[in-house]
């Protein structure tokens, strides 16, 4: 599968699934005397959790194979957003490539591992008293004073946002704007828990930071429906096993 990653590599994607099979044991007369329920599944695992196993391989005595965790990546920053590089110069989002070194929060140097782009119809524009104007998606993480993380949609006038060079910028205007163009975001080498860097002078997050803040939000109606269906399937499997062992 080829996605919107900036490195241009093809990637394999698989979905976690469970197959439940009924196995019937018959006597010589052909009568069913035992029913077995066999579950064969594939489960997403991070590399650190494999415990010696390999992806896509069965282990004797196990009915589960492990697959890589599937992530859905998307962009967040307007394509002309300016990022400060480690050498003090600036590049816009569309010019950032794997290997680029950005200036991160706390003077950390961040090496771009990969970048991702997608298309967005609407963005949020955040303006400050210092002249900053940042355009991002509504769920994008913003770093406020005292290192408080909020989504762009939660930013309000008079909020105080951390800005580069150790300054504080006061929000003067927040509005939704029509965009209909590509947006970008990045991941960085050896950073898997979310990190922040200067974007148009304001500190905002990478893809991992966005994933973390979205996991803390209320589930959507679709997520609730999927959770309910998974619960129903689990209960059905338990009943099937109980009936087979009765």
């Amino acid at each position: 599968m080829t996605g919107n990653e900036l490195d241009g590599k093809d990637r394999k994607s698989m979905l976690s699934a469970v197959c439940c099979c009924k196995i019937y044991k018959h006597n010589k007369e052909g009568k069913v005397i035992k029913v077995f329920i066999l579950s064969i599944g594939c489960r997403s695992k991070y590399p650190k959790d494999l415990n010696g196993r390999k992806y896509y391989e069965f282990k004797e005595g196990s009915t589960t194979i492990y697959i890589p965790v599937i992530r859905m990546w998307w962009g967040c920053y307007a394509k002309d957003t300016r990022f400060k590089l480690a050498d003090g110069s600036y590049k816009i989002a569309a010019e950032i490539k794997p290997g680029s070194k950005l200036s991160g929060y706390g003077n950390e140097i961040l090496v771009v591992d990969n970048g991702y782009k997608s298309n967005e119809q609407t963005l949020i524009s955040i303006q400050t008293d210092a002249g900053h104007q940042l355009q991002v998606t509504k769920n994008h993480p913003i770093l406020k004073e005292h290192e408080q993380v909020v989504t762009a949609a939660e930013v309000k006038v008079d909020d105080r946002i951390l800005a580069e060079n150790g300054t504080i910028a006061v929000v003067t205007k927040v509005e939704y704007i029509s965009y209909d163009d590509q947006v970008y975001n990045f991941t960085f080498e050896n950073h898997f828990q979310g990190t922040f860097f200067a974007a148009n002078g304001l500190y905002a997050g990478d893809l991992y930071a966005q994933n973390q803040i979205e996991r803390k939000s209320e589930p959507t109606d679709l997520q609730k429906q999927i959770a309910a269906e998974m619960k129903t399937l689990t209960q059905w499997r338990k009943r099937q096993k109980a009936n087979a062992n009765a």
Side-chain angles (χ1 to χ4, degrees), residues 2-8 73-74 114-119 182:
T2 301
N4 289 326
E5 298 87 357
L6 299 186
D7 63 9
W73 297 123
W74 53 88
N114 207 348
Y116 306 84
K117 60 184 178 180
S118 57
N119 196 80
Q182 287 189 327

Side-chain angles (χ1 to χ4, degrees), residues 1 83 223:
M1 182 182 75
F83 298 97
Q223 289 170 329

Side-chain angles (χ1 to χ4, degrees), residues 21-26 31-38 239-246:
C21 304
K22 279 186 177 181
I23 301 175
Y24 297 90
K25 182 179 180 180
H26 300 78
K31 183 179 179 180
V32 176
I33 59 174
K34 187 73 173 179
V35 180
F36 300 91
I37 302 294
L38 175 63
R239 290 195 301 269
Q240 293 293 95
K241 287 184 178 180
N243 293 336
N245 296 327

Side-chain angles (χ1 to χ4, degrees), residues 15-70:
L15 295 176
S16 296
V18 176
C19 176
C20 296
C21 304
K22 279 186 177 181
I23 301 175
Y24 297 90
K25 182 179 180 180
H26 300 78
N27 60 16
K28 294 181 179 180
E29 289 74 32
K31 183 179 179 180
V32 176
I33 59 174
K34 187 73 173 179
V35 180
F36 300 91
I37 302 294
L38 175 63
S39 297
I40 302 174
C42 56
R43 182 178 301 170
S44 296
K45 286 279 187 180
Y46 290 100
K48 65 181 179 64
D49 298 325
L50 287 176
N51 296 322
R53 296 278 299 273
K54 294 182 179 180
Y55 287 130
Y56 311 118
E57 290 185 355
F58 277 105
K59 180 181 179 180
E60 186 175 353
S62 172
T63 59
T64 301
I65 62 170
Y66 292 145
I67 64 173
V69 173
I70 300 172

Side-chain angles (χ1 to χ4, degrees), residues 72-165:
M72 304 300 290
W73 297 123
W74 53 88
C76 303
Y77 296 99
K79 65 180 183 180
D80 59 353
T81 303
R82 296 174 73 244
F83 298 97
K84 186 177 182 179
L85 304 186
D87 63 5
S89 62
Y90 291 84
K91 283 187 176 181
I92 63 172
E95 297 173 335
I96 301 296
K97 305 296 181 184
S100 297
K101 296 180 179 180
L102 273 60
S103 176
Y105 180 66
N107 296 319
E108 184 177 12
I109 295 177
L110 303 173
V111 181
V112 175
D113 175 62
N114 207 348
Y116 306 84
K117 60 184 178 180
S118 57
N119 196 80
E120 286 288 339
Q121 300 292 320
T122 304
L123 296 181
I124 287 183
S125 173
I126 300 172
Q127 300 178 38
T128 75
D129 60 344
H132 304 104
Q133 184 171 359
L134 180 62
Q135 297 176 355
V136 292
T137 53
K138 66 179 183 179
N139 292 324
H140 195 73
I142 306 295
L143 198 58
K144 290 174 56 177
E145 190 177 25
H146 308 305
E147 298 184 347
Q148 179 187 3
V149 180
V150 298
T151 66
E154 294 172 324
V155 173
K156 299 178 177 59
V157 171
D158 293 331
D159 278 355
R160 296 165 63 84
I161 298 178
L162 294 180
E164 61 184 0
N165 301 321

